[in-house]
Amino acid sequence: MAQTVSVIVGSDDRARLRAIIGDRNRPLKHTQRANIILLSADRLPVLEVAHRSGISRPAVWRWQRRYAEQGIDGLLRDKTRPPGRAPLATTMVAKVLALTCAEPPGAVTHWTGRAMAKVVGISLSAVQRIWQANRLQPHRLRTFKRSNDPAFASKVEDIVGLYVDPPCHAVVLSIDEKSQIQALDRTQPGLPLKPGKCGTMTHDYKRHGTTTLFAALNTLDGTVVGRCMPRHTHKEFLRFLNAIERAVPAGKVIHAILDNYATHKHPKVRQWLADHPRWVFHFTPTSASWINAVEGFFSAITRRRIRRGVFKSVPDLQDAITRYIRDHNRDAKPFAWTKPADTILGKLARLPAPSV
């Protein structure tokens, strides 16, 4: 490529080009092209124009020729370029979508990108683009559990009612235990987090024993009463109930939400319940631990304190749990349940019918 045109700029074009350069809202490429034409009109050598504009000589020749052919409007408009590869036909996209939603051939359970690309005869990246555009993720699978409790609807309405509209002069507690929390000590120290690298933790560990966390979440203010005990039998559960009994002010009715663990229904627990008339137990439906609010607290303490923790002994683990509960209670917030019971039951009705 070489210079084939001589740039001649009239007074009107010169004023317009200067206006483009002085417009701070213009894209940089527009001001750069206008500057090329003005410098060329001053009969500067191409090398000098390229140096002042910060571009190559072929680029200077290109925009000189564009101005000669199309004027200033040609400088402000980029040429459309044909795609490097023709877009996939609509029938091919539809075929990929149909196959993805159907059973894969052979003895496999789901499609992979490479398997789909091999079957339909397109590239892996093309398959991935189609899946991304249509929000298809064959590699992912979500599990669900349908409760077979015959009293599911009444229990859900009862517990959701306690969350949404608790009784006056009463305390609503979500109670459960997190058993077999392991006190794990790593065999060597990990490396801390640093820019560009995540923290590390050795896979090997030393197991120093376990503890069980009994916790009661007060849904009205979000505070937690917790006790760590070596086992989770009815004896430890009764000790925990007595601790709650001492912590809750006299004169308030206590509505306790619990799951169907056998410890919660032990004859001695039932006898304790009869001896404490201000307590009312509300059992969750079977296979429905998600409705128990304290499960959210267990998830948080597992992710934020236990899973990455390094504990030299069981007392060290128990001390860490106690400190976490204390910090949580300093900034506790009321538990807010957002799903009405009708919405939950309506979603259950949309699930497929059980096969057995």
Side-chain angles (χ1 to χ4, degrees):
M1 181 183 293
Q3 186 169 6
T4 59
V5 298
S6 177
V7 178
I8 301 175
V9 181
S11 58
D12 293 341
D13 281 3
R14 189 180 292 271
R16 187 178 175 189
L17 291 170
R18 287 173 179 167
I20 292 173
I21 295 175
D23 188 354
R24 298 175 64 88
N25 294 323
R26 285 280 185 179
L28 175 62
K29 60 183 181 180
H30 292 173
T31 60
Q32 191 179 53
R33 296 167 190 174
N35 189 46
I36 292 171
I37 301 305
L38 286 178
L39 293 175
S40 300
D42 293 338
R43 298 295 183 266
L44 294 178
V46 172
L47 187 60
E48 181 67 17
V49 174
H51 178 72
R52 293 191 183 186
S53 303
I55 60 174
S56 63
R57 287 184 300 167
V60 174
W61 295 329
R62 183 186 310 118
W63 293 112
Q64 286 176 345
R65 187 168 62 253
R66 179 76 66 83
Y67 173 74
E69 294 173 352
Q70 302 180 20
I72 295 179
D73 292 337
L75 302 177
L76 306 179
R77 182 176 59 251
D78 293 334
K79 278 189 175 181
T80 57
R81 298 176 177 85
R85 183 176 298 176
L88 291 175
T90 305
T91 54
M92 177 61 71
V93 175
K95 181 179 179 181
V96 171
L97 297 179
L99 287 175
T100 304
C101 297
E103 291 292 330
V108 296
T109 58
H110 62 281
W111 285 100
T112 64
R114 288 180 174 82
M116 179 63 69
K118 183 178 180 180
V119 169
V120 300
I122 60 178
S123 66
L124 171 62
S125 59
V127 172
Q128 292 171 337
R129 286 195 299 270
I130 294 173
W131 283 352
Q132 183 177 12
N134 294 273
R135 301 176 64 185
L136 288 173
Q137 298 176 322
H139 64 286
R140 296 187 63 186
L141 181 68
R142 293 184 62 182
T143 60
F144 68 94
K145 173 67 175 179
R146 180 170 184 159
S147 174
N148 57 2
D149 195 325
F152 179 85
S154 60
K155 291 182 179 180
V156 167
E157 291 173 349
D158 177 36
I159 295 174
V160 171
L162 289 174
Y163 291 152
V164 177
D165 187 19
C168 297
H169 308 293
V171 176
V172 178
L173 299 178
S174 174
I175 301 176
D176 202 359
E177 57 273 335
K178 182 175 178 61
S179 61
Q180 298 296 311
I181 306 175
Q182 301 185 78
L184 301 181
D185 183 14
R186 303 295 162 175
T187 56
Q188 65 184 58
L191 297 177
L193 174 73
K194 62 179 64 176
K197 292 185 178 180
C198 65
T200 64
M201 176 177 286
T202 177
H203 182 270
D204 301 325
Y205 59 85
K206 296 179 182 178
R207 187 172 180 270
H208 295 294
T210 62
T211 188
T212 295
L213 171 61
F214 288 80
L217 172 69
N218 188 336
T219 62
L220 301 181
D221 58 15
T223 58
V224 173
V225 176
R227 296 290 187 276
C228 288
M229 301 184 189
R231 303 173 65 191
H232 56 289
T233 66
H234 73 279
K235 297 179 181 179
E236 286 77 16
F237 183 57
L238 288 175
R239 288 169 54 194
F240 183 60
L241 292 179
N242 287 323
I244 299 174
E245 173 71 17
R246 293 190 297 268
V248 176
K252 289 185 175 292
V253 177
I254 302 176
H255 292 272
I257 300 170
L258 309 100
D259 60 21
N260 294 275
Y261 186 48
T263 296
H264 303 158
K265 300 179 179 180
H266 193 275
K268 292 187 177 180
V269 174
R270 295 182 181 275
Q271 181 60 45
W272 184 94
L273 189 62
D275 296 337
H276 295 76
R278 71 166 178 160
W279 281 75
V280 181
F281 279 8
H282 304 261
F283 292 102
T284 64
T286 56
S287 306
S289 60
W290 48 265
I291 204 172
N292 205 350
V294 75
E295 295 292 344
F297 173 77
F298 285 154
S299 174
I301 193 174
T302 300
R303 288 181 285 107
R304 303 184 62 185
R305 187 62 190 94
I306 297 175
R307 184 172 295 158
R308 298 190 187 186
V310 177
F311 309 106
K312 304 295 184 181
S313 63
V314 172
D316 188 19
L317 169 63
Q318 294 174 340
D319 183 59
I321 293 173
T322 302
R323 292 199 310 271
Y324 180 89
I325 295 175
R326 189 185 306 121
D327 293 342
H328 169 84
N329 289 340
R330 289 196 188 102
D331 191 30
K333 295 178 177 59
F335 174 76
W337 185 271
T338 58
K339 289 290 185 182
D342 294 342
T343 303
I344 298 173
L345 298 177
K347 185 175 183 179
L348 179 66
R350 295 193 298 270
L351 291 176
S355 58
V356 291

